[in-house]
Amino acid sequence: MDKLLIRGGRALQGDVEISGAKNAALPELCAALLTDEPVTLANVPRLQDVATTLKLLRNMGAVAERDEARPDRVTIDAGRIDRREAPYDLVKTMRASILVLGPLLARFGEATVSLPGGCAIGSRPVDQHIKGLQAMGADIRVEHGYIVARAERLKGARITTDMVTVTGTENLLMAATLAEGETVLENAAQEPEIPDLAEMLIKMGARIEGHGTSKIRIQGVERLRGLPAEAPHAIIPDRIETGTFLCAVAAAGGDVLVKNARADHLDAVIEKLREAGAVIEAGADHIRIKSQGRLKAMSFRTSEYPGFPTDMQAQFMAVNCVAEGSARVTETIFENRFMHVNELLRLGARIEVDGHTALVHGVERLSGATVMATDLRASASLVIAGLVAEGETLVDRIYHLDRGYDQMEAKLRGLGADIERIK
């Protein structure tokens, strides 16, 4: 099992390029199931979750390949799907596999998708997906650990989810593109990955309005077309990878130009970093951050977009660990998302947890130790902490990191960090 060995104490300098967004790539790969024509995507990150999605699509009979000459491009041809099932062996490794449910049901009238099972950071129920598809006329049963869905043709409906759900919004949005009549999604998630998915679907012939707001209207069409290799859809930059590198510089110090980045997708994080004392200049496709000395600890509360993202909570907590003063971190999205706290304590951090709130008391220095990643964003926080800790930090179970960060250690080495992967 791979590990990361980090020798801390080096400021970060130079340029780093952000990859395509994982949370946009996964639904957009699944959206290729909506058409029998080839679909080409550009700026596709090289991640374990992307590899798992491609494996799932191939398991159904699709042809899904990366372009050898341009590795950021992937083409999916779902013209000969012969299996409308997502088996447990694939779904258990990645909860986003539920995103094949809507496209399969909309195009083929049937889908059998394994329930995702448990998740280290807490419950992510799929009942809102099922409720929405039932409102569109689907007959859905849950048996033997699988969602079994049938529908001659989905019908447009007005759907109000009980909570804001990103994957639920994406699944219902994709399903509605081929439904008969109009579908209105109320209480829709507004994360940037959703309008990016909508823009891709519009290029394929879908009729969608209001994406990026809490109310999305979709007029169903008979069929969608593909996206040719000469006119692919380019996935937006990964805002969470961007925020992670900004936090790394904020904690370790330095001067870094973050390229292929969208500052407008990270307003809440950038504002907190500025309040903490980092100097940030934002352009249309780049962000420059300068950090010198200890920053001020900043309190924050996670919430749905455009609030402070739960996917940035662990990384910003690592910044607070070495900042001046104390800060309160409140997690409102997932119930188990403080699992990184015990590992940060091993490095010398001072953190007190009370339910969904963590009180972080900044210390002048952390001390290197062996730590274990418990989930994707927790692993990123441990890497950030390792960059500033004295001595050596060994981060174990970094397969979590590989699920969502494209060659993170290579990018950090390019900024001057002393970090290496150990087999």
Side-chain angles (χ1 to χ4, degrees), residues 364-385:
E364 288 192 14
R365 60 182 61 84
L366 298 176
S367 177
T370 298
V371 291
M372 182 178 67
T374 54
D375 61 71
L376 171 55
R377 306 308 173 185
S379 61
S381 76
L382 298 178
V383 170
I384 293 171

Side-chain angles (χ1 to χ4, degrees), residues 191-213:
E191 276 73 2
E193 295 79 16
I194 289 171
D196 194 53
L197 170 63
E199 289 299 324
M200 171 195 174
L201 294 168
I202 290 169
K203 293 174 186 175
M204 296 169 65
R207 298 172 61 192
I208 304 170
E209 296 177 350
H211 42 294
T213 75

Side-chain angles (χ1 to χ4, degrees), residues 268-378:
V269 174
I270 289 174
E271 183 60 29
K272 284 294 178 185
L273 288 170
R274 283 176 171 152
E275 290 177 22
V279 177
I280 298 178
E281 303 167 6
D285 61 354
H286 66 273
I287 304 169
R288 185 177 183 183
I289 178 169
K290 299 178 186 177
S291 178
Q292 294 181 335
R294 291 179 72 190
L295 301 183
K296 293 179 291 185
M298 299 303 304
S299 297
F300 63 91
R301 171 187 293 266
T302 64
S303 62
E304 292 86 0
Y305 189 86
F308 196 100
T310 180
D311 279 354
M312 283 301 306
Q313 178 254 105
Q315 301 92 306
F316 208 104
M317 185 183 287
V319 177
N320 278 338
C321 284
V322 292
E324 188 173 353
S326 299
R328 194 175 301 276
V329 176
T330 305
E331 174 60 53
T332 71
I333 308 297
F334 294 119
E335 63 268 29
N336 295 332
R337 207 158 203 178
F338 284 148
M339 296 176 70
H340 48 282
V341 168
N342 285 336
E343 302 305 304
L344 291 171
L345 293 176
R346 287 181 50 78
L347 298 170
R350 291 181 57 210
I351 308 170
E352 303 161 16
V353 175
D354 182 10
H356 296 294
T357 301
L359 184 60
V360 185
H361 306 283
V363 298
E364 288 192 14
R365 60 182 61 84
L366 298 176
S367 177
T370 298
V371 291
M372 182 178 67
T374 54
D375 61 71
L376 171 55
R377 306 308 173 185

Side-chain angles (χ1 to χ4, degrees), residues 56 59-60 83 85-92 112-114 146:
L56 176 59
N59 190 65
M60 296 177 185
R83 188 180 185 194
E85 179 181 346
Y88 175 70
D89 284 348
L90 289 173
V91 173
K92 70 179 179 180
T112 303
V113 180
S114 171
Y146 280 80

Side-chain angles (χ1 to χ4, degrees), residues 197-237:
L197 170 63
E199 289 299 324
M200 171 195 174
L201 294 168
I202 290 169
K203 293 174 186 175
M204 296 169 65
R207 298 172 61 192
I208 304 170
E209 296 177 350
H211 42 294
T213 75
S214 62
K215 185 175 183 177
I216 306 176
R217 290 184 179 274
I218 308 103
Q219 300 289 340
V221 297
E222 289 290 331
R223 65 183 301 274
L224 295 177
R225 57 182 175 269
L227 295 172
E230 57 270 20
H233 174 73
I235 295 169
I236 56 173

Side-chain angles (χ1 to χ4, degrees), residues 3-7 394 409 413 418-422:
K3 305 177 183 182
L4 283 182
L5 177 62
I6 308 167
R7 299 174 184 89
L394 190 65
E409 74 274 13
R413 268 200 310 273
D418 189 344
I419 180 171
E420 60 180 310
R421 181 178 292 247
I422 298 175

